[in-house]
DNA sequence: CTGAAAGCGCTTACAG
DNA sequence: CTGAAAGCGCTTACAG
């Protein structure tokens, strides 16, 4: 690569010290510097096409204007949409973002945290993995500003912005029951992740409050480690088979829904007549399925913006911890229009 | 934030110079340093939980181990999938990636290029915007290693890895014609982007070679600046109306296809009986549409890996420019099973 | 074998 | 008004 123009080059060209150049270019000590000199410096900078080396600046100022974003998988539409929102919000404040995918793996997440901290990011936005409490502790010990997104750990006091997962799930179930579902199922992950366990709790409490006798085959949990497609297919077979098959299903994530829908489609189960369906998250597919899908819309724009704002506030040393629970929106469509 | 442990702290603790600590920790001059001293240094580093400041290292070594990725929109599934592949490939070589979305806008792209260069990224992977030739020139003038992805400028000699867009499009059309389409349409972007114009050329040449008399209403181009949804709907109205309505459509991108499919769905046009369909790019929706979609599968894994590899080679000073044209794969499904 | 010194490209407290 | 000097946290050519 070509040698870059530095302060020194400008200083040499104008015949002043680098200090003066720095002052002028950063508008420090304005008024206290002779106008002609300032003018000449600015001109030289323009002529030489000077661009400050941010790495040098970062080292000196101990500030990189870089945010780290750690999600489960950047190629998951939920997270890539979030990434775009965070990028835009960060950019408004002249921050740049480095990202990493942790694949729901706490060890990988820890490695990423260290990589990003080594690069001196000013703060982190993290969708934490299961069992990543020690990661959080690590960040706190190092006084690294961060905010959790999408998931949090109820036992640990941190900044976070998450969906009200309990309520979203509860409302979805209430809707299914109101529409006449007698045997609602839940397909979810086998995980201690709080957002996911809240979705399960919403399901359970809704059944309880509506006096529906829960059957174990209605609730299936697939774990991150299995082959997701096969696991989903097996789970659906069990939910739809046996002597108490479900008549509706809530999918706990876009990923589960995508696999699930493909399978349901291939098995020629008619939606909503044979089976009513609700999914978490908006998907392109929701509109294209022959029975447009009822879904829980997450306030993803708010989630990304607020998380970024909280992080920036914390970086700028406002230290109160903030916890924001956002409400989802149940968008009702064809897939829950059951015929009684 | 907490003060971080530096080389100096280790040096002080052990009672040696920072130079020696640096040598030991980087395994330089191994053998030429007394074993007990080396041992003590390593222990101290472990005890103090030392993590090198990469910013300082970067400044000194003029190397950041950071790659910049500029795409049109990170929330577009095509690009987020690419981002994940690039992330993984970069990580194998201990590189980290900063991303930015340029929204098909050359000015925004230029701003991003500068932001990333200011941060001293070692190289750039770019899906360039229309009319971004000057950006390319800028990169070349600055001898910044980069590789174009997804699109290239045929008149400029650069590294790039792209789909064979002409052939992919041609094959798609040939398939439509073979299946009995008499009036095939193309819905694409109004743009000079080479990948897109090649898709158009593939369409045109296929018609020509098959002696199909082209009708202007068959080919519609929507521009990036309009409201995409409305533009697509209007375009489809025209393609499907008039006195020579199309009997099949090739969508030139996943975005166009998503809007298009939603509209087609809402208008109750039956696929493939009333209209056959092919889309560029794999979409979740392809499987979920009642008529699973025939699509052109891009070798996106190869594209991301190869682009990253070429970039890393160029960073490591192997300077030959490499241009890789990858072949797409036509995945044939229900949406082109026409009944004659 | 070991370390003092210089330097990467900046900023800024300090002295004149 | 202006600039010499120190320093951010590293690496490394060089001298001993």
């Amino acid at each position: 690569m070509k040698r870059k123009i530095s302060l020194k080059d400008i200083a040499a060209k104008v015949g002043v010290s680098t200090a003066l150049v720095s002052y002028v270019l950063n508008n420090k000590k304005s008024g206290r510097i002779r106008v002609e000199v300032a003018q000449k410096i600015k001109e030289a900078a323009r002529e030489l096409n000077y661009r400050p080396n941010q790495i040098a600046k970062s080292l000196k100022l101990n500030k990189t204007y870089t945010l780290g974003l750690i999600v489960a998988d950047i190629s998951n539409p939920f997270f890539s949409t979030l990434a775009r929102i965070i990028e835009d919000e960060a950019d408004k404040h002249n921050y740049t973002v480095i990202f990493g995918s942790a694949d729901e793996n706490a060890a990988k997440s820890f490695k990423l945290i260290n990589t990003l901290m080594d690069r001196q990011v000013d703060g982190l936005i993290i969708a934490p993995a299961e069992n990543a409490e020690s990661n959080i502790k690590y960040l706190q010990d190092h006084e690294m500003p961060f905010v959790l997104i999408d998931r949090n750990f109820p036992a640990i006091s941190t900044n976070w912005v998450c969906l009200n997962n309990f309520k979203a799930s509860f409302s979805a179930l209430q809707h299914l029951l109101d529409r006449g579902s007698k045997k609602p199922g839940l397909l979810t992950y086998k995980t201690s992740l709080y957002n996911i366990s809240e979705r399960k709790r919403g399901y359970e409490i809704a059944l309880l409050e509506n006096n529906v006798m829960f059957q174990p085959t209605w609730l299936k949990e697939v774990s991150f480690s299995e082959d997701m497609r096969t696991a989903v297919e097996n789970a659906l077979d069990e939910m739809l088979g046996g002597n108490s098959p479900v008549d509706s299903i809530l999918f706990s994530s876009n990923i589960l829904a995508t696999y699930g829908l493909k399978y349901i489609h291939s098995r020629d189960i008619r939606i909503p007549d044979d089976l009513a369906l609700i999914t978490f998250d908006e998907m392109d597919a929701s509109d294209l399925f022959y029975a447009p899908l009822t879904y829980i819309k997450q306030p993803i724009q708010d989630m990304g913006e607020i998380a970024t704002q909280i992080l920036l506030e914390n970086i700028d040393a406002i230290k109160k911890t903030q916890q924001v629970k956002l409400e989802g929106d149940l968008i009702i469509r064809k897939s829950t229009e059951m015929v009684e």
Side-chain angles (χ1 to χ4, degrees), chain A residues 74-265:
Chain A
I74 193 69
S75 71
N76 176 329
F78 177 76
F79 290 120
S80 65
T81 303
L82 212 44
R84 176 50 132 106
I85 294 160
I86 291 168
E87 176 198 349
D88 286 347
E89 189 63 27
D91 180 62
K92 281 185 199 157
H93 304 267
N94 294 315
Y95 280 76
T96 251
V97 4
I98 307 186
F99 72 91
S101 305
D103 290 322
E104 304 291 3
N105 177 332
K108 199 160 177 185
S109 171
F110 187 61
K111 187 164 167 280
L112 275 169
I113 286 173
N114 273 311
T115 302
L116 297 182
M117 282 177 65
D118 290 351
R119 282 163 205 263
Q120 315 299 124
V121 295
D122 295 332
L124 290 167
I125 295 178
I126 305 178
E130 187 178 16
N131 302 322
E133 286 88 343
S134 60
N135 295 2
I136 306 304
K137 180 83 169 42
Y138 184 81
L139 292 170
Q140 290 174 330
D141 285 349
H142 287 75
E143 292 173 28
M144 164 59 62
F146 70 99
V147 12
L148 303 185
I149 197 162
D150 186 41
R151 311 100 183 253
N152 65 315
F153 299 101
I156 311 182
S157 167
T158 61
N159 298 304
W160 51 257
V161 12
C162 295
L163 183 71
N164 187 338
N165 286 286
F166 172 77
K167 199 165 155 198
S169 178
F170 183 96
S171 314
L173 257 292
Q174 191 61 58
H175 171 69
L176 286 173
L177 296 170
D178 289 349
R179 284 285 174 95
S181 173
K182 305 281 180 234
K183 300 172 174 179
L186 172 68
L187 182 57
T188 187
Y189 295 112
K190 180 186 241 66
T191 174
S192 62
L193 241 27
Y194 188 62
N195 62 332
I196 300 297
S197 68
E198 280 292 277
R199 292 176 190 182
K200 180 169 160 186
R201 195 168 67 88
Y203 168 84
E204 291 169 338
I205 301 294
L207 293 206
L208 218 56
E209 290 198 0
N210 286 272
N211 300 309
V212 178
M213 247 305 261
F214 168 71
Q215 299 296 321
T217 48
W218 296 355
L219 194 164
K220 288 290 166 188
E221 298 175 302
V222 306
S223 70
F224 293 122
S225 55
E226 343 178 38
D227 171 64
M228 197 62 72
R229 171 184 283 268
T230 313
V232 165
E233 292 179 0
N234 292 340
L236 286 174
D237 281 342
E238 294 179 44
M239 293 169 89
L240 295 165
N243 50 12
S244 184
V246 298
D247 58 11
S248 70
I249 295 180
L250 169 60
F251 287 105
S252 191
S253 84
N254 57 351
I255 303 285
L256 292 172
T258 300
Y259 287 122
L261 285 167
K262 287 181 188 177
Y263 186 59
I264 284 168
H265 199 23

Side-chain angles (χ1 to χ4, degrees), chain A residues 237-306:
Chain A
D237 281 342
E238 294 179 44
M239 293 169 89
L240 295 165
N243 50 12
S244 184
V246 298
D247 58 11
S248 70
I249 295 180
L250 169 60
F251 287 105
S252 191
S253 84
N254 57 351
I255 303 285
L256 292 172
T258 300
Y259 287 122
L261 285 167
K262 287 181 188 177
Y263 186 59
I264 284 168
H265 199 23
S266 77
R267 277 198 40 184
D268 266 328
I269 295 161
R270 288 171 315 148
I271 311 298
D273 303 346
D274 299 344
L275 185 68
L277 247 34
I278 299 187
T279 71
F280 262 84
D281 303 326
E282 190 167 11
M283 302 185 293
D284 282 335
S286 320
D287 284 329
L288 298 178
F289 205 59
Y290 62 88
L293 300 174
T294 295
Y295 65 91
I296 294 158
K297 182 178 182 160
Q298 294 210 43
I300 192 165
Q301 184 76 32
D302 285 350
M303 196 177 276
E305 282 178 12
I306 293 172

